[in-house]
Amino acid sequence: MSAVVLSVYDVANVPGDGAQFWVYMQYAQGLRRLGCDVYWLEQLRPSSDADEEARRRATLLERMKRFGLEAKTLLYAANPAAVDGVRFIACTERHARAVLRRADLVLNFHYAIDPRLLGWARRTALVDIDPGLLQLWMSTRQVAVPRHDHYFTTGETVGTPEARFPACGLSWTRIRPPVCLDLWQVVYSPDAESFTTVSSWSSASWLKVKENGHTTLRDNAERAAFLEYVALPRQVAQPLELALHLLDRDPAGQARRRQAEQDGADRAQLEPHGWRVRDSREVAGSPDAYRSYVQTSRGEFSCAKPSSVEFRTAWVSERSVCYLATGKPIVVQDTGPSNYLPEGEGIFRFSSLPQAAAALDAIESDYQRQCDAARSLAETYFDARRVLERALNTALGRARVPVATA
């Protein structure tokens, strides 16, 4: 049995984001289903509110207990004064060091992890879930990624001649975002009304690019993409609903107040055009709530970050894979042609308002068939057992185990 440590990013720090939790739990549970001994490694950001910090820690540990990982959770905080730069919480450094040293693999999603932590590990692999964007950050030195033994990416074109960004001198192994099919069972709901999605909306996300010898910043938040399709709800029969992480009306801090004002203005723009707007913390703020929100939707309609469209990586979001697994067809913005996914069978891609409207209409013309096709896509291409078996064999240099392919 292989021992694998998952080094995740910003789950405990954002307990109200059920989507973020599931991104990494798919990997954890998929590996456990392969018989691996899995540990969860995560950095806690410091908080000026000790009670809030304690609540975040307690929330994570309660969720880990439900998924069989309570005794396998290694939490730490940055500590520049320490020899190894970290301070472990709720476990001893001796225990954490022993786990990392005996693990067969550390699967790291925390791009800027302290390299001293990786130094305790026997073998490491980076997992890129921001294809194109991560390579841009690395090439422009916006992120200093420590050396790893292996590099995985969920982008189809990363490291290929088709890529519109550098490979950063690394050899990338392309994988697909995994989903644990038994945890995302089909819920056929022909009476469900809304095509939905969950979005961070206006989280600080900027592209630093060079144009004509000058460095400029471009808005890379999902809001920039969605607002180009603001007129869509009036052109289709089914309601469109956005579960957004909007700032509170009166948050502390001048910058956050400005952002709250912008979020309020965006909502005032969306709703008159027919968009249903929900607070993601209310409808998808826990792992169970997020899963229920997906399962009770009619399907997914979603735009992508501008960088995903520009880089043409054929990226499919971890969120969209959850919709597919539960039998919900998806209509998503075109991020480049896929080498394996079909078009018009469970998944539709659009790059214009008429294409988006036509895709939603096509799903309605034979809804059950499209739902069946969605689940079939998840089973064929994103089954966590298959995806992670191949990745684990690659990272550990094992002979490939024959599995059914498509």
Side-chain angles (χ1 to χ4, degrees), residues 210-230:
K210 286 188 176 182
E211 295 179 325
N212 300 321
H214 300 284
T215 300
T216 60
L217 293 177
R218 293 184 191 169
D219 187 355
N220 196 41
E222 289 180 1
R223 67 175 293 276
F226 272 101
L227 290 177
E228 292 185 11
Y229 292 86
V230 70

Side-chain angles (χ1 to χ4, degrees), residues 14-234:
V14 193
D17 189 342
Q20 182 83 342
F21 175 91
W22 275 109
V23 169
Y24 305 111
M25 190 53 72
Q26 309 282 15
Y27 287 84
Q29 295 303 315
L31 288 166
R32 293 187 77 205
R33 280 152 177 74
L34 291 174
C36 295
D37 186 18
V38 178
Y39 289 82
W40 183 283
L41 176 69
E42 182 173 1
Q43 180 178 352
L44 291 176
R45 288 199 302 266
S47 173
S48 57
D49 185 337
D51 291 337
E52 173 61 22
E53 186 173 310
R55 281 192 294 270
R56 291 178 180 177
R57 185 167 64 248
T59 297
L60 178 70
L61 292 177
E62 185 275 329
R63 292 173 179 174
M64 292 295 105
K65 182 177 181 180
R66 290 186 51 226
F67 284 88
L69 293 171
E70 182 186 28
K72 304 292 183 72
T73 304
L74 311 174
L75 300 178
Y76 66 95
N79 182 9
V83 173
D84 290 307
V86 298
R87 171 178 59 87
F88 280 88
I89 303 165
C91 74
T92 65
E93 178 183 321
R94 181 178 180 181
H95 172 66
R97 189 187 290 262
V99 169
L100 286 163
R101 283 182 169 172
R102 72 169 180 265
D104 297 283
L105 179 67
V106 173
L107 209 55
N108 178 37
F109 299 82
H110 185 180
Y111 306 145
I113 191 172
D114 191 315
R116 288 172 290 188
L117 270 179
L118 293 184
W120 296 354
R122 294 161 56 188
R123 191 163 187 81
T124 60
L126 181 76
V127 185
D128 161 33
I129 58 175
D130 299 286
L133 198 55
L134 174 60
Q135 288 74 27
L136 175 67
W137 290 336
M138 293 173 67
S139 64
T140 56
R141 300 183 181 179
Q142 296 176 61
V143 174
V145 176
R147 189 192 68 80
H148 292 70
D149 296 305
H150 207 90
Y151 298 85
F152 292 108
T153 178
T154 54
E156 282 193 53
T157 62
V158 177
T160 72
E162 290 76 29
R164 298 184 176 183
F165 44 85
C168 304
L170 303 173
S171 177
W172 296 90
T173 298
R174 288 164 290 283
I175 63 172
R176 298 163 187 170
V179 63
C180 288
L181 296 171
D182 59 305
L183 296 177
W184 289 85
Q185 297 178 352
V186 173
V187 178
Y188 180 61
S189 308
D191 296 328
E193 288 188 347
S194 299
F195 282 80
T196 68
T197 197
V198 180
S199 170
S200 56
W201 192 244
S202 57
S203 60
S205 182
W206 298 90
L207 276 180
K208 186 184 292 185
V209 296
K210 286 188 176 182
E211 295 179 325
N212 300 321
H214 300 284
T215 300
T216 60
L217 293 177
R218 293 184 191 169
D219 187 355
N220 196 41
E222 289 180 1
R223 67 175 293 276
F226 272 101
L227 290 177
E228 292 185 11
Y229 292 86
V230 70
L232 181 61
R234 299 301 188 199

